[in-house]
Amino acid sequence: MDRLLEREAPAASRDASAPTTMKVRKRNGDLEPVDLNKIVRAIGRSCHDLPHVDAIRVATRTISGLFDGATTKELDALSIQTASSLTTEEPQYSQLAARLLATCIDKEVENQGIHSFSQSIRAGYDLGLVGDRLLAFTEAHRRKLDDAVDPERTDAFEYFGLRTLYDRYLLKHPEARAVIETPQYFFLRIACALAASIHEALTLYGLLSRLEYLPSSPTLFNAGTCREQLSSCFLLDSPADDLAAIYDRYKDVALLSKWSGGIGLAFHRIRSRGSLIQGTNGHSNGIVPWLKTLDASVAAVNQGGKRKGAACIYLEPWHADVEAFLELRDNTGDEAQRTHNLNLAHWIPDLFMRRVEADGAWSLFDPKVVPHLCDLWGEAFEQAYEAAEKEGLFQRQVKARDLYARMMRTLAQTGNGWMCFKDASNRNCNQTAGGGTVHLSNLCTEILEVTDGAETAVCNLGSINLARHVTPEGFDFERLAATVAQVVPSLDRVIDLNLYPIPGTAASNHRWRPIGLGFMGLQDVFFTLGLPFDAPEAQALSTRIAETIQLAALEASCTLAEQHGAHPAFAETRLSKGAFHHEGFGATVSEPERWEALRARILQHGVRNSLMIAIAPTATIASIVGCGECIEPQVSNLYKRETLSGDFIQVNRHLVKALQERGLWTEAFRNRLKQNEGSVQGIEGIPADLQTLYRTAWELPMRALIDLAAARMPFIDQSQSLNLFVESPSIPKLSSMYFHAWKQGLKTTYYLRSRPATRIAKTTVAAFTEAEGIACSLENPEACEACQ
């Protein structure tokens, strides 16, 4: 201990018992001398079950950064920062930093006279933050709820997760800005707000507090408050080609964005540039000026001050303004033709892809001339499209390959212009049997629901943390199924509790009652079980996980239908005829008897929810629970993450553990990993099996990522936010990749992620600080937290 003090501590504090002239100011205003032993004890209390952390090291480094007269609050912040800075050496320091932060949160809450969950709810109610419904539920079950709180579960947090929760999710006093709830009070508040009974509340609290499941951000932001807008995603059909209708739609977008909704908006019906406006005898300027106006509106409505507004615009590639659409996110050119706040996506029919494959011509139409094309898909679309071509109704023709190449160039340059496939999205959608059409997806491309002029599709999301359902011996499918059964009723209940910003959302959501249950932490499962991301065993496991979730969700929804009745539009769905989603893909199942028993139940009772499964991006909620994002491979083994809550060093704890077991986690290796930008490839002395297992997204073949998604697609009745990663994109490479995605039957894809051509200059290893030289990952896009 004395040797450690000599090495770490400044001269004034090398002797833990020696007097010092440095003083700190306590919360009551008194000054007292700095006491290293007292700091060590305070930090040591948070070190249980963390064998690789050193409380004295954190304490001495903390004192070295103190100044005379610093407050105890500043001392706490410095100790947290010190522990966090050691994460690159040992990931357990992240947990220590989180526990130190949790202690500060507890003090902050207690200093306001709050010592129980029920007191927290009462304080929130008195401040106008908590609604009548939650207060009444809490008062009715006060003793059971107060006794249910388990503060020790907060110990499972990592620093990034708890910091995010503290900064952006915990309820705060409107004026003092101090939080009025601890993390465990927060989880219990969400559980009580979503539950129909005390039993459901305690069960859901268990899942949330053990970090096994989290709803999406809008639910976490607003559950139990005075304005319970809990849904994540809103899909708006294209406005009618009319001035008043367009501005009405802008109003809808603003109202939805105000309450933290992520917006998908089709623009298929708006006439193209040069089209005659009969009312004025003038000619239209096309869709670009309208989207420029929308771009400014989206930036102005910043989702209640919590984050930027966000919208994605969908356009079919036969629209005559498609080339101008492709230029909207360019970084150069006329700013009057650019929309930097809107995301862009293509709604592509199979016919276009076949024309590209055959090097054929592609006709571009004014929607005013062919308004029916928007509502058709499959064979009906192809017949109508080809008939319009024969009649010469097109505005002009281009080579399909030239347009496709322009799409690929936009993806390569901006990551935008997402490729989403119209026919695959409609072909097996449970909602399209009655004649409706899926016109678009949502902001993050995982929601596929029928829309029209009267109904705005809505979906509420939640994600299961797969990392908490795996053991070194294997994956626990029974536990996963039990989790699904427990969370489906809470997702369904959001439909009835929700504050609907515009009338069309309520009409759609109550008629179809869709939910979007997804999962995160797939990469953690593969790491725990030692499965490379592209191994056949990994694909089989991923598919079995998706099947288990789909089956358990349908069973739970059928049980809800037995209790409350099927959703009103059940007779218009494929399930009403006994057709399961996976059967449209010809997929085999692992438990055929259980599926057949479920079919019989559904034919008798129906289901409560028309759609069940959607894999959303989970950047923020995955950070809170401390797992990898949704279905994605890791982007790096060591990187700095920049978010609205600050900058955080992230290190792959699975890799660290594997290297520690082999005696390879050394300072020399850490420096080499920084130089290698978080990649273990080519580092001397790293065994081949670890280099294969711990490849990053940039080092994995994208064919494997697409095939993994295609294999689970039969058991995802909506879709999945599938990012694709290409370090140095080129048009031939991207063309081949997206063709493979289409041929594999994927419904949607999401961002194309690429890496900058330049890298941080590396001179000597000694030049690196804890953060320098580490690959930087901007939490991109923050705007897509609607789905998280």
Side-chain angles (χ1 to χ4, degrees):
M1 178 178 186
D2 291 337
R3 285 194 299 271
L4 181 61
L5 291 175
E6 286 288 330
R7 185 175 71 250
E8 294 282 359
S13 56
R14 283 176 182 161
D15 183 351
S17 61
T20 176
T21 58
M22 187 178 293
K23 295 182 179 182
V24 294
R25 187 173 300 278
K26 299 170 65 176
R27 285 175 171 80
N28 63 7
D30 294 342
L31 289 170
E32 70 172 25
V34 171
D35 185 343
L36 176 60
N37 287 327
K38 187 174 181 179
I39 296 174
V40 171
R41 288 194 299 272
I43 295 172
R45 285 192 291 269
S46 297
C47 292
H48 56 88
D49 302 324
L50 300 178
H52 298 294
V53 305
D54 188 332
I56 296 177
R57 186 181 186 195
V58 175
T60 52
R61 282 198 175 192
T62 298
I63 287 184
S64 70
L66 271 181
F67 58 90
D68 192 32
T71 65
T72 53
K73 185 175 181 179
E74 290 169 328
L75 175 62
D76 290 338
L78 187 55
S79 65
I80 293 168
Q81 181 182 350
T82 300
S84 176
S85 71
L86 296 171
T87 299
T88 53
E89 291 186 32
E90 169 51 60
Q92 287 185 357
Y93 280 104
S94 176
Q95 281 183 272
L96 174 59
R99 293 176 184 183
L100 296 173
L101 174 59
T103 301
C104 294
I105 295 173
D106 289 344
K107 292 177 184 176
E108 192 171 319
V109 172
E110 291 169 1
N111 286 342
Q112 299 174 78
I114 299 170
H115 303 282
S116 67
F117 171 72
S118 59
Q119 289 178 346
S120 172
I121 296 301
R122 169 56 71 176
Y125 181 80
D126 292 342
L127 291 168
L129 302 176
V130 168
D132 294 335
R133 186 179 64 83
L134 179 58
L135 178 68
F137 185 89
T138 303
E139 292 294 329
H141 306 286
R142 180 187 305 166
R143 178 174 296 180
K144 286 186 178 180
L145 293 173
D146 286 345
D147 291 344
V149 174
D150 187 351
E152 291 184 2
R153 291 179 182 172
T154 303
D155 289 347
F157 275 105
E158 294 184 11
Y159 179 56
F160 181 24
L162 187 57
R163 187 80 212 188
T164 300
L165 198 69
Y166 173 62
D167 287 344
R168 300 164 64 187
Y169 289 85
L170 301 184
L171 292 180
K172 291 182 174 65
H173 192 292
E175 295 176 0
R177 305 310 295 166
V179 295
I180 62 170
E181 59 184 357
T182 68
Q184 295 308 312
Y185 295 170
F186 165 79
F187 286 138
L188 190 52
R189 169 171 64 86
I190 303 302
C192 291
L194 301 182
S197 67
I198 183 63
H199 172 72
E200 282 188 18
L202 296 180
T203 300
L204 185 56
Y205 167 68
L207 294 174
L208 299 175
S209 62
R210 293 192 298 270
L211 308 181
E212 295 174 6
Y213 165 78
L214 275 189
S216 62
S217 282
T219 304
L220 297 176
F221 282 147
N222 300 324
T225 66
C226 298
R227 298 289 185 272
E228 292 189 282
Q229 196 305 97
L230 310 177
S231 292
S232 309
C233 308
F234 299 89
L235 285 68
L236 295 95
D237 196 3
S238 175
D241 189 25
D242 172 80
L243 186 68
I246 293 171
Y247 275 103
D248 283 344
R249 186 62 87 220
Y250 288 178
K251 178 182 176 182
D252 292 342
V253 170
L255 290 172
L256 293 170
S257 186
K258 173 184 177 181
W259 295 108
S260 303
I263 313 298
L265 173 62
F267 237 69
H268 315 315
R269 303 182 197 277
I270 306 303
R271 72 188 71 187
S272 60
R273 182 178 178 84
S275 180
L276 178 66
I277 304 173
Q278 292 180 337
T280 62
N281 200 32
H283 291 87
S284 170
N285 289 318
I287 66 172
V288 171
W290 293 117
L291 294 178
K292 185 70 176 176
T293 303
L294 180 61
D295 183 65
S297 177
V298 166
V301 183
N302 67 351
Q303 303 201 2
K306 291 186 172 71
R307 57 198 181 180
K308 296 183 295 183
C312 179
I313 307 302
Y314 286 79
L315 193 72
E316 298 204 28
W318 51 261
H319 194 291
D321 285 348
V322 64
E323 291 159 314
F325 180 75
L326 284 163
E327 296 174 355
L328 288 172
R329 287 294 294 262
D330 284 358
N331 294 318
T332 59
D334 184 3
E335 277 299 306
Q337 307 294 312
R338 303 292 177 263
T339 58
H340 299 296
N341 298 299
L342 298 180
N343 294 291
L344 311 177
H346 301 289
W347 197 238
I348 299 174
D350 289 348
L351 181 62
F352 174 73
M353 298 300 286
R354 288 201 296 271
R355 293 276 182 96
V356 173
E357 194 170 31
D359 196 17
W362 183 248
S363 302
L364 303 178
F365 294 90
D366 178 1
K368 179 185 175 184
V369 178
V370 288
H372 55 294
L373 291 185
C374 302
D375 298 314
L376 301 176
W377 56 273
E379 186 177 348
F381 169 83
E382 293 178 14
Q383 291 175 353
Y385 181 91
E386 291 172 349
E389 280 186 314
K390 289 178 181 178
E391 294 179 41
L393 299 179
F394 51 81
Q395 194 175 97
R396 67 185 187 280
Q397 289 185 312
V398 298
K399 289 190 66 174
R401 285 190 180 178
D402 288 346
L403 180 57
Y404 183 70
R406 182 66 183 87
M407 293 176 176
M408 297 300 103
R409 186 160 64 251
T410 297
L411 277 163
Q413 292 173 346
T414 70
N416 247 258
W418 308 328
M419 303 292 283
C420 301
F421 303 108
K422 176 182 183 179
D423 293 329
S425 297
N426 277 276
R427 190 175 298 119
N428 295 299
C429 179
N430 188 43
Q431 295 181 348
T432 57
T437 302
V438 180
H439 292 104
L440 73 161
S441 185
N442 65 316
L443 174 63
C444 304
T445 76
E446 82 278 13
I447 302 302
L448 295 172
E449 300 175 16
V450 166
T451 57
D452 59 29
E455 293 186 2
T456 295
V458 184
C459 201
N460 47 290
L461 307 176
S463 296
I464 295 170
N465 180 4
L466 298 180
R468 297 277 173 170
H469 293 78
V470 66
T471 68
E473 290 73 36
F475 195 86
D476 193 337
F477 290 101
E478 290 186 8
R479 185 177 170 193
L480 176 63
T483 298
V484 173
Q486 291 163 347
V487 302
V488 164
S490 69
L491 284 171
D492 177 74
R493 195 151 191 262
V494 167
I495 298 165
D496 300 315
L497 298 174
N498 201 46
L499 167 69
Y500 291 98
I502 61 175
T505 54
S508 176
N509 222 26
H510 285 106
R511 173 173 158 77
W512 295 103
R513 301 188 71 86
I515 62 174
L517 179 60
F519 53 83
M520 51 190 168
L522 183 64
Q523 177 72 92
D524 297 86
V525 173
F526 292 162
F527 283 153
T528 301
L529 300 178
L531 296 175
F533 214 89
D534 54 350
E537 298 85 356
Q539 184 179 118
L541 176 58
S542 167
T543 305
R544 176 75 186 282
I545 287 170
E547 180 191 350
T548 300
I549 294 174
Q550 173 84 80
L551 177 56
L554 283 169
E555 289 175 334
S557 187
C558 187
T559 298
L560 289 174
E562 291 170 349
Q563 297 168 352
H564 308 292
H567 67 89
F570 175 69
E572 302 174 36
T573 65
R574 300 178 191 278
L575 265 176
S576 68
K577 301 169 180 61
F580 288 122
H581 182 265
H582 69 264
E583 292 174 326
F585 293 80
T588 58
V589 294
S590 60
E591 299 181 79
E593 297 84 4
R594 190 172 160 192
W595 279 100
E596 287 305 318
L598 174 60
R599 194 196 311 270
R601 285 182 62 201
I602 290 175
L603 288 173
Q604 181 179 359
H605 302 286
V607 289
R608 188 67 171 163
N609 314 98
S610 63
L611 295 166
M612 304 292 300
I613 310 300
I615 301 180
T618 60
T620 304
I621 62 171
S623 299
I624 291 173
V625 301
C627 71
E629 298 176 24
C630 56
I631 52 176
E632 295 189 359
Q634 60 172 355
V635 294
S636 178
N637 288 291
L638 178 65
Y639 61 99
K640 181 176 71 173
R641 190 164 186 175
E642 299 177 357
T643 76
L644 295 180
S645 294
D647 297 352
F648 300 87
I649 304 300
Q650 301 286 284
V651 61
N652 184 346
R653 63 183 183 276
H654 301 280
L655 172 64
V656 173
K657 181 180 178 183
L659 292 172
Q660 285 175 337
E661 290 172 349
R662 305 190 193 196
L664 298 173
W665 184 244
T666 63
E667 184 176 357
F669 173 83
R670 290 191 291 273
N671 287 329
R672 188 69 182 90
L673 188 63
K674 291 176 185 178
Q675 286 184 311
N676 224 29
E677 297 186 332
S679 171
V680 298
Q681 306 307 308
I683 297 181
E684 185 177 354
I686 302 302
D689 63 319
L690 296 187
Q691 292 197 34
T692 299
L693 180 60
Y694 293 105
R695 285 171 294 170
T696 68
W698 314 106
E699 295 154 353
L700 286 164
M702 285 301 100
R703 176 178 289 267
L705 203 61
I706 292 169
D707 290 348
L708 205 66
R712 75 171 77 91
M713 181 59 76
F715 304 104
I716 300 172
D717 54 12
Q718 297 212 56
S719 192
Q720 45 196 324
S721 295
L722 181 66
N723 286 318
L724 295 172
F725 303 82
V726 179
E727 184 163 11
S728 301
S730 65
I731 290 177
K733 188 183 298 183
L734 298 185
S735 175
S736 174
M737 184 172 73
Y738 283 102
F739 251 96
H740 184 63
W742 170 62
K743 290 190 172 183
Q744 286 293 92
L746 293 190
K747 300 175 184 177
T748 62
T749 65
Y750 195 28
Y751 276 93
L752 175 71
R753 306 291 191 186
S754 59
R755 302 180 85 176
T758 57
R759 295 287 189 268
I760 299 172
K762 301 177 182 65
T763 53
T764 63
V765 172
F768 285 88
T769 67
E770 294 290 348
E772 289 172 336
I774 298 174
C776 176
S777 171
L778 181 64
E779 185 172 300
N780 184 15
E782 280 281 355
C784 289
E785 283 179 7
C787 297
Q788 295 165 21

